[in-house]
Amino acid sequence: MNLSQFNNILRQVFLLPVVALLVVAGALYLQIRGANATVNLIQDSDTRISQATLVSKLIVDEESGLRGYETTGDLRFLQPFSEAKSHVQAEIQSLDNMGGSDPDQKKDIEDLRSEHQTWQDAFALPVIAQVRGGGNTDDVDLNLHGRELMDEVRHDLTDIIQKAESSRTRRIARWHRQVHNMLLFLLGLALGIGVLIGLFTRNRLHAVSAAYRSSLEILGRRAEELFQSEQQLRTTLDSIGDGVITCDAAGHIQMMNPIARELTGWGQADATGQPLEKVFCIVNEISREPMETPVSKVKRLDTIVGMGNHAMLIRRDGTELNVADSGAPIRDQRGETIGIVLVFRDITMERKTQDALIANEKLAVAGRLAATIAHEIHNPLDSVSNLLYLMRNGASAEESVQFMEMAQQELTRVTQISRAMLGLYRESKSPVVVDLKEMLQEILLLMERRLADTEVKVTADLPSSVTVAAFPAELRQVFTNLITNAAEAAGRNGEVRVSVTPQTAGAEGSGLKIQAGATVTIADNGPGIPEEVRPQLFQPFFTTKGEHGTGLGLWVSRGIINKHGGTISVSSDTSKAAHGTVVSVFLATNPTINAGVD
Amino acid sequence: MKQNTNLVLCVDDELVGLQVRKILLERSGYTVLTAPDGPSGLEIFSVEPVEVVVLDYSMPGMHGGEVAARMRQMKPQVPILLLSAYVDLLPEVTSLVNLYMTKGEGAPVLLEKLGSLLHPVDASQQ
C-alpha cells in the first residue's frame, strides 16, 4: 500500500460518517415535517371544536333569550337572542370556511345552517312576533315543534363536535404513530448506518493494518538482510587472506582485519585513531628510505594506486616483511572521498620463490648452452692433447712449429668461449657501457654449435657498434634466451635474423619524447605464435616447449628489460605467406635503471 | 709403427681436430680417409674398403648417431668408434656403436681403443 492509497482510506473513513449523518438528518427532517403536519391538523380539529362550541353557545343564548322573552314579554330578555342571531350565521360560515373539512362535515354544517334557519324562521321569529303582538304562546304543539327543531340543531352541533373530536383523536393517534415510527426508523437507520460505518471502517482499517503488518514484515526482513549482509561483509573481511586497513579521509585508522593486525603486529584497540604511517610503516627494501604509503598517494592522486614494489613493512616489534600493497579511495554516493582502504599482503615467501626462480632460469640458460660449452671446450682440448702427443713422440722442428700454432689457435678458441661464458655470469654492481654489437657477436659465438646442430641459418645485421649503459650479464641472458627461442621456433633449416638499429633522441609526431638508444630485433621465420597464447607469453611458467622449457625465459627477460628502463615487445604472424615472430627490445643509451626491479 | 695399414675413416666437422687426428693416426701407421660431415662420410664408407670408423657425434645436419645407423645398415661388420664432446650420450646412440669415448681423453686412449677394435684378441691378451 502506498501513501496515496492510505490517504484515500483516511478520506473515505472521514467522509462516510459525514454522509451518513447527512442522510440521517434528511430522514429526520422529513419525519419531523410529517409530524408537524399532523400537529397542524390536530390544531385544526381544536379550532373546529371550539368554533362549533361557540356556535352551540350562541344557539343556546338565542334559545334561552327567546324563552325568557316568551315567558315575560319583556324586550330586555330578547337582547341575547338578538345579539346571538346577528352573529350566529357568520360564525357558522366561519366554521364552514375552516380548512380540513371533509364532505361529511360540510354536509353537517349545511344541515346545521338550514335547520337553524328553519328554527329561526319557523319558530323563533313567529313566536317573537306573537309575543310582541300580545298573543299567547302557550300552545304546546307550537313549543314542541320549536323544541324538535332545536333538538335537530343541537343534534347537528353534537355531530359536528363529535366528528371533530373523533378526527382529533385519530390525528393524535396518528401523531403518536408517526413519532413512534420515527423513533423506530431513526433507530433502525442509526443502527444500519452504524453497522455500515463500522463494517466499512473495519474493512478499511483491516487493509491499513495488513499494509502496516506487511510493511513491518518487510522492514524486519530488510533489517535482517542488512544484518546478515553486514555480518557477511565482516566475516569476509575477517576471512580474507590479505591485510585490510580502512582509514578516514584524514588517514587515521578505523578498522584492521585479523591479517592486518597479524602483519603489522598492532592490535585493533591500539591502532584505532592512529595515523596510518605509525602503524603501517614501510621503507624501500634496497634504499631503506621511508616510502609514501598508499594512503597518502591515494590522497594525492585521488585514484586507486597499485601494488608498490620493494616495500618493506617494519612491524611493531621491529621485524621486517616484504609486502605488496595497494590503496583505493572510499567514496560516498556523491563521489566524495570519505576514507581510504589499504590492502596488503606478505610477499616474503613469494619474493624468495621469485629470487629462486630467477636464479633457476639463469642456470637453465647456462644449461641450454651446455652443448656449446662442452663442444667448444672438448674439441680444442682434444686437438691440443693430440698435438702434444704428436710432439712428444718425435716431431720435426718444422712440424712442431706448425703443431704449436694449431694448439695456440685452439686454445684461443677456448679462451673466447670461456670469456663469453663468464660474461653470462659476471655480475656488476652498477651499469657499465656495453657494446651491443660485441655482445651479440659473443652470444652468437657461444650459440654457434647449437645453431649449427639444428641447422638454423643465422643472419646478423650489426652495422656499427652501439653502446648502452646496462648490466651485461643480464642482457646476455636476455639475448641468449631470445635467440634460443627464435632458433627453436625457426626449426630445422629455418632462419633467424638478429639486428641492431640505433635510434637518435627526438620527438614523435604525437609529441612523445623518444630516448636515444637502440632497438635489438630478433626475428624468425617459424610458424608464429597463435593469437590466443600471445597474452600469456610473459607469464611465469608459461611454456610451449613442454618439458624442455622452464616457462620462465620471457618472464625473466621482461623483468631484466624493465629494470633497464627498456621495453620488450613481441609481434607474430601465423599466416602461410609471412609467418614468423619478431621480438624487439629497446634499450636507452642512458637509461634510468629501476634498481631491484626483476 | 708401420705395422698397421688398416684403412680408417674419420668423420668430424671440426676441421682442425680432424686434421690433427689424421696426422696422429697416420703416424701410428693407419691409412686415413676424412670426411667433414655425415653425408660425405657415408659416401666414402660405401665405396672404400673401410676397416674401422672414427665418428664424431655432434655434427650439423646429420649427427653421429644417424651416420652410425646408416653405416650399420650398409656394412654391419665394420666397427665404429664414436667420439663425443658430451659426457653423457643417450643409450640408443651408444648401443649402435662398438665403443665410444669423450673427446679430450687423449691420444693414447684413442689409439688403444682403435687397436682393440681391429685386434680384439690381441687387446684382450694385453
Side-chain angles (χ1 to χ4, degrees), chain A residues 370-371 374-375 378-379 381-383 385-387 389-390 394-395 399 402-403 406 409-410 413 449 452-453 455 492, chain B residues 12-14 16-17 19-21 23-24 27 56 58-61 85-87 102-108 111:
Chain A
H375 194 272
H378 283 150
N379 270 320
L381 279 183
D382 188 47
S383 300
S385 90
N386 285 348
L387 287 166
Y389 179 83
L390 284 172
E399 277 174 337
Q402 193 199 343
F403 290 166
M406 286 169 87
Q409 207 181 323
E410 290 295 273
R413 239 181 88 189
R449 164 59 35 180
D453 275 1
E455 287 185 279
R492 205 159 276 273
Chain B
D12 197 336
D13 64 315
E14 282 291 322
V16 177
Q19 198 187 338
V20 174
R21 203 170 296 125
I23 299 168
L24 176 76
R27 292 280 165 98
D56 182 34
S58 169
M59 288 186 295
Y86 306 117
V87 177
T102 309
K103 280 182 176 177
E105 282 184 50
L111 292 172

Side-chain angles (χ1 to χ4, degrees), chain A residues 549-563:
Chain A
T550 58
L552 296 171
L554 281 179
W555 174 65
V556 170
S557 295
R558 187 173 64 172
I560 292 171
I561 297 302
N562 285 348
K563 171 179 166 180

Side-chain angles (χ1 to χ4, degrees), chain A residues 205-250:
Chain A
L205 284 181
H206 263 296
V208 171
S209 150
Y212 180 69
R213 200 166 42 243
S214 79
S215 298
L216 270 186
E217 269 169 28
I218 289 168
L219 272 179
R221 217 165 34 237
R222 291 261 165 83
E224 175 66 18
E225 278 168 7
L226 208 65
F227 176 75
Q228 288 295 346
S229 116
E230 198 191 314
Q231 202 65 17
Q232 198 177 350
L233 276 179
R234 193 171 294 280
T235 313
T236 308
L237 213 52
D238 281 353
S239 324
I240 217 162
D242 289 352
V244 179
I245 299 178
T246 59
C247 301
D248 60 17

Side-chain angles (χ1 to χ4, degrees), chain A residues 88-162:
Chain A
V88 78
Q89 281 302 328
E91 294 301 338
I92 289 173
Q93 189 54 47
S94 77
L95 180 65
D96 194 18
N97 286 345
M98 280 182 182
S101 48
D102 54 25
D104 192 26
Q105 285 174 321
K106 287 252 184 214
K107 187 176 160 287
D108 280 350
I109 291 168
E110 200 50 49
D111 283 354
L112 173 67
R113 184 182 283 138
S114 72
E115 271 157 17
H116 176 259
Q117 199 65 46
T118 308
W119 175 79
Q120 197 174 300
D121 293 349
F123 178 71
L125 292 181
V127 168
I128 293 168
Q130 207 161 351
V131 171
R132 198 169 283 164
N136 193 359
T137 57
D138 294 346
D139 184 37
V140 176
D141 287 340
L142 180 70
N143 280 310
L144 269 176
H145 178 63
R147 198 181 140 201
E148 275 168 14
L149 288 176
M150 185 46 70
D151 282 348
E152 278 180 24
V153 169
R154 285 214 182 89
H155 180 74
D156 281 343
L157 269 172
T158 312
D159 262 7
I160 287 169
I161 289 171
Q162 268 178 352

Side-chain angles (χ1 to χ4, degrees), chain A residues 12 26 73 97 160 183 185 202 207 221 271 276-277 284 303 331 382 388 403 406 420 422 525 542 552:
Chain A
Q12 285 169 351
N97 286 345
I160 287 169
L183 269 177
F185 175 75
R202 182 165 166 274
R221 217 165 34 237
L276 182 79
E277 290 77 6
N284 184 297
T303 178
R331 299 185 200 279
D382 188 47
L388 286 176
F403 290 166
M406 286 169 87
L422 269 180
N525 64 349
F542 176 77
L552 296 171

Side-chain angles (χ1 to χ4, degrees), chain B residues 46-112:
Chain B
S46 65
V47 293
E48 300 289 341
V50 174
E51 287 166 279
V52 66
V53 182
V54 178
L55 182 61
D56 182 34
Y57 175 73
S58 169
M59 288 186 295
M62 190 185 281
H63 64 69
E66 214 178 321
V67 177
R70 297 215 182 166
M71 287 176 169
R72 280 282 184 257
Q73 278 177 357
M74 283 191 267
K75 299 174 188 172
Q77 75 285 359
V78 178
I80 301 172
L81 172 61
L82 187 68
L83 295 179
S84 164
Y86 306 117
V87 177
D88 44 354
L89 283 173
L90 295 172
E92 54 258 42
V93 176
T94 55
S95 64
L96 275 174
V97 300
N98 300 73
L99 278 175
Y100 61 92
M101 63 176 283
T102 309
K103 280 182 176 177
E105 282 184 50
V109 181
L110 173 69
L111 292 172
E112 189 199 320

